[in-house]
Every structure is written in C-alpha cells, then in structure tokens.
Amino acid sequence: MMAVPRPRTPLVAMVGGGQLARMTHQAAIALGQSLRVLANTTDEPAAQVSPDVVVGSHTDLEDLRRVAAGATALTFDHEHVPTELLEKLVAEGVNVLPPPEALVHAQDKLVMRRRLAALGAPVPRYLGIEEPDALGELDAFAAEIGGPLVVKAARGGYDGRGVQMARDLAHARDIAGEYLAGGVSVLVEERVSLRRELSALVARSPFGQGAAWPVVETVQENGICVQVIAPAPDLVADVAAEAQQLALRLAGELGVVGVLAVELFETTGSAGGPLLINELAMRPHNSGHWTMDGSRTSQFEQHLRAVLDYPLGDTDATVPVTVMANVLGAAQTPQMSVDERLHHLFARMPDARVHLYGKTERPGRKVGHINFLGTHADGPHDLAELRQRAELAAHWLSHAQWMDGWDPHAGDDAERSDEEERRQ
C-alpha cells in the first residue's frame, strides 16, 4: 500500500462549513494551504470550495476527532461545539484554538458577563437566572434598574435570535420563564441608552503577540448587522484607543488565540459616553469583513496566522474609509438570477467588491457582502455617498430592484459620467 504523503504545510481544521470557513479557505490558499472543514452537508459554503471536507456534526465526538486528525490546529467557524467535547479533544492531544476555557466566554453570555465583571471590564448592569425558582429575583433587579430590560438566552443565540426587549416586568418574566423551561439559563440586562454600536476586532497568537484593527461602527436592523463603517466616523481618538486596548487586554486575560471581536455599546453623551461590552466572538466576525479589501491583512488570514503561531500581519487600513454592506435574502427571491444581478451591479458600480457565499437565498439570510473603498472620503458628504452606494448595491443583489429607480437601459451614459467624475 502506498503511503499517504505528509502535507508540506501545516493543516488547519475548522469546525463549521459556513461562509466564515469559506473565506478562511480563500485566505489559506494564499498561504499555500488548504483548510479542512467539518460541514453538515456537502453543499455548505465552505464544502463547495475546500478539497478536504469531513461531513458530520459538531455535536458528535467521533466527527470532531475525524476532522482534527493530523491537524496542526482545530479552530471554529461558529461557537456552538459543546465545551465537554472540546475538553475531551484537548485531553487527547488536539490543539484546540481558541482553547475551550476561552471559547466558553463566547458560548455562554452569563459566563461571559460574570468573568468580565470580575476582570473589572465595563458591562451593563445584569442579573443571571439559572433556575425557575430564582425568577423572583427579577422583581428586585427591575426595581433597581428602574427602566427597560433586555432578556437574553445565555446560549445559542445569534443575529438577534435569543435576545428580546421586554415591554415591562411581566413580559420580562414571561420571556425568562420560556428560556428556563427550555433548559437555557437567562441573562437579564438594563437596556442602555445607545449612541451607536461599535466593534473592536483584535487577534492574538499563542506567543502572545496581539494586533488590533481600527474600531468600526456597526449598523443594526432587527438585530442583524446591515452595514459596517471602518473606521467608526467621529470616534474620539482616545475612545478608539481605549476600545482597542480593552479588546487586547481581554484577549490576553481570557487566553484567546485567533481573532476576537468585542462588540461594544457607545452610550449617549456629548462626545460619546462610556463604552460597555455587549458580546464577544472568538472567530472571524461579520464586523471584520471589511478587512478583506480595506486592510493590509484580512481577518481571515490573521486568524490562520494566529492559530499557526505565525507573526501577525499589519492591520492598517489601506484607504481612509471602507463601508461593508451585508446582502440579505429578500422576502421573495427574485426571478432574475444572481449572475444577471451581478452583471447589472458591475455595469453600474465597477468598484464594488462582491463576496458571495454560495448560499440558497432565504428571507433575512446573509448570502454575501459588498465592500466599497472610499479613497478620498474626507468628509460627511463623501461618507454619506459611500454608504448610500453600499445600500443600493446590497439591496439590488437581494431584490433585483434599484431603490433609486435607476434604469440600466436608460441610465448607462449618466452613470458612466458619475463614475468618471468620482474617479477624477
């Protein structure tokens, strides 16, 4: 029997076959590697492009062992792998990065809140409820807060799922009771007065090297990020530095290896109020998709560098501003093919940097994103135009309709003139 040749480069395995794994595979190619992925099915985004796919479940220990076999490092496209399974892999010698004792802070919001509070990190006032018998504590907490509450499932939520704004105390009790009845602990928080949401994206290697990208603003609708502006406009330099330093400190304190996204609330104030930590993600993150075109090192390449303990890459932005817009599935899938939609988009906006995930379109589903680079966006007017173009492009790819009524057959000359003027 012929011996199987050893790979010439380290093998990184990633649990999950979604778009994050797909884009990590793209980065791996440039480093002379391929990425082995654990996918539920062969038609998941990463499984469509990676030559090394293990089909299985992230909740099955044997499937996890199969994807980890021979890998230099095992990392994640999502945080939903049971902690006890990861601990078994570590005991068997698998190099799990980030390690389970770090990852649990991105898996369990209540564990995260308690640890961050113990570290003195800024968090909203909160209450943890782990048993139905403890629901009575909610009354005293609500009286202490004296304002609206947010009720969160401690595990399993994403893109707004598992997070509900309570109308009043009775509603908060009902929501918490439903989560507890489902066997999930509950995190109840004060609803803070927001100016906007920010994200501080950093990376850390096992060696302990850290790197931080510019802090960005994330624009949310119905709990889903629709746009990211990098860097966050009108963010005071000291506040930006504070957010970066906080994220780097947490990466070290929690033992993170790889990319860490620290989602932040900028509370109200004349120049922005105190920052409060919303959530953590220990993997490439939606708020970092802009780095694929607007940074010297993308978050996906950086994540690979980190888990392989390579020196980390330069995180400087390459242009003054980048706007990323998520492409979300429309309520009704257009009859026009994606290919034709791309044709029209590029004809109107040749500078659009499109990243599609190979997903079936469904209402509200993230099926891609578009980056626009502002090479001379020096003022509010330029940024507003860039954001408008990003919104138009994302809506067109989702709905096959131009929100401004542009007619591709009547508007070619005018649009071409606009493009030429922008480039001058």
Side-chain angles (χ1 to χ4, degrees), residues 2-11 32-34 36 52 68-73:
M2 182 180 295
V4 177
R6 295 178 60 85
R8 290 177 292 178
T9 55
L11 172 64
Q33 304 173 11
S34 62
R36 179 188 293 163
D52 194 353
T72 303

Coordinates of all heavy atoms in Angstrom, one line a residue, residues 2-11 32-34 36 52 68-73:
M2 N 0.5 2.2 -0.9 CA 1.3 3.4 -1.0 C 1.1 4.3 0.2 O -0.1 4.5 0.7 CB 0.9 4.2 -2.2 CG 1.8 5.5 -2.4 SD 1.3 6.3 -3.9 CE 1.8 5.1 -5.2
A3 N 2.1 4.8 0.8 CA 2.0 5.7 2.0 C 1.4 7.0 1.6 O 1.7 7.6 0.5 CB 3.4 5.9 2.6
V4 N 0.5 7.5 2.4 CA -0.1 8.8 2.2 C 1.0 9.9 2.4 O 1.6 10.0 3.5 CB -1.3 9.1 3.0 CG1 -1.9 10.5 2.8 CG2 -2.3 8.0 2.8
P5 N 1.3 10.8 1.4 CA 2.3 11.8 1.7 C 1.9 12.8 2.7 O 0.7 13.2 2.8 CB 2.4 12.5 0.3 CG 1.1 12.2 -0.4 CD 0.7 10.9 0.1
R6 N 2.8 13.2 3.5 CA 2.6 14.2 4.6 C 2.4 15.6 3.9 O 3.1 15.9 2.9 CB 3.7 14.3 5.6 CG 3.8 13.0 6.4 CD 5.0 13.1 7.4 NE 4.8 14.2 8.3 CZ 4.1 14.1 9.4 NH1 3.5 13.0 9.7 NH2 4.0 15.2 10.2
P7 N 1.5 16.4 4.4 CA 1.4 17.7 3.8 C 2.6 18.6 4.0 O 3.3 18.5 5.0 CB 0.2 18.3 4.5 CG 0.1 17.6 5.8 CD 0.6 16.2 5.5
R8 N 2.9 19.4 3.0 CA 4.1 20.2 3.1 C 3.9 21.4 3.9 O 4.9 22.1 4.3 CB 4.6 20.6 1.6 CG 5.1 19.5 0.8 CD 5.5 20.0 -0.6 NE 4.3 20.3 -1.3 CZ 4.3 20.8 -2.6 NH1 5.4 21.0 -3.2 NH2 3.2 21.1 -3.2
T9 N 2.7 21.7 4.2 CA 2.4 22.9 5.1 C 1.5 22.4 6.2 O 0.9 21.4 6.1 CB 1.6 24.0 4.3 OG1 0.4 23.4 3.7 CG2 2.5 24.5 3.2
P10 N 1.4 23.2 7.3 CA 0.6 22.8 8.4 C -0.9 22.7 8.0 O -1.4 23.4 7.1 CB 0.7 24.0 9.4 CG 2.0 24.6 9.0 CD 2.1 24.5 7.5
L11 N -1.6 21.8 8.6 CA -3.0 21.6 8.3 C -3.9 22.2 9.4 O -3.7 21.9 10.6 CB -3.4 20.1 8.2 CG -4.8 19.7 8.1 CD1 -5.4 20.3 6.8 CD2 -5.0 18.2 8.2
G32 N -0.5 29.0 0.8 CA 0.0 27.7 0.3 C -0.7 26.5 1.0 O -0.2 25.4 1.0
Q33 N -1.9 26.8 1.6 CA -2.5 25.8 2.4 C -3.9 25.5 1.8 O -4.4 26.3 1.0 CB -2.7 26.2 3.8 CG -1.4 26.6 4.5 CD -1.6 27.2 5.9 OE1 -2.7 27.1 6.4 NE2 -0.6 27.8 6.5
S34 N -4.6 24.5 2.3 CA -6.0 24.3 2.2 C -6.5 24.1 3.6 O -5.8 23.8 4.5 CB -6.4 23.1 1.3 OG -5.9 21.9 1.9
R36 N -9.2 22.1 6.1 CA -10.1 21.0 6.2 C -11.3 21.5 7.1 O -11.1 22.2 8.1 CB -9.4 19.9 7.0 CG -10.4 18.7 7.2 CD -9.8 17.6 8.1 NE -8.7 17.0 7.4 CZ -7.7 16.2 8.1 NH1 -7.8 16.1 9.4 NH2 -6.8 15.7 7.4
D52 N -10.9 19.4 1.1 CA -10.8 18.5 2.3 C -12.0 18.7 3.2 O -12.0 19.6 4.1 CB -9.5 18.8 3.0 CG -9.1 17.7 4.0 OD1 -9.9 16.8 4.2 OD2 -8.0 17.7 4.5
A68 N -10.2 16.6 13.2 CA -9.0 17.1 13.9 C -7.8 16.2 13.6 O -6.7 16.6 13.9 CB -9.2 17.1 15.4
A69 N -8.0 15.0 13.1 CA -6.9 14.0 12.9 C -5.8 14.6 12.1 O -6.0 15.0 10.9 CB -7.5 12.7 12.3
G70 N -4.6 14.7 12.7 CA -3.4 15.1 11.9 C -3.3 16.6 11.8 O -2.4 17.1 11.2
A71 N -4.3 17.4 12.3 CA -4.3 18.8 12.1 C -3.3 19.5 13.1 O -3.2 19.1 14.3 CB -5.7 19.4 12.3
T72 N -2.7 20.5 12.6 CA -1.8 21.3 13.5 C -2.7 22.1 14.5 O -2.3 22.3 15.7 CB -1.0 22.4 12.6 OG1 -0.3 21.6 11.6 CG2 -0.1 23.2 13.5
A73 N -3.8 22.5 14.1 CA -4.8 23.3 15.0 C -6.2 23.0 14.6 O -6.5 22.8 13.4 CB -4.4 24.8 15.0

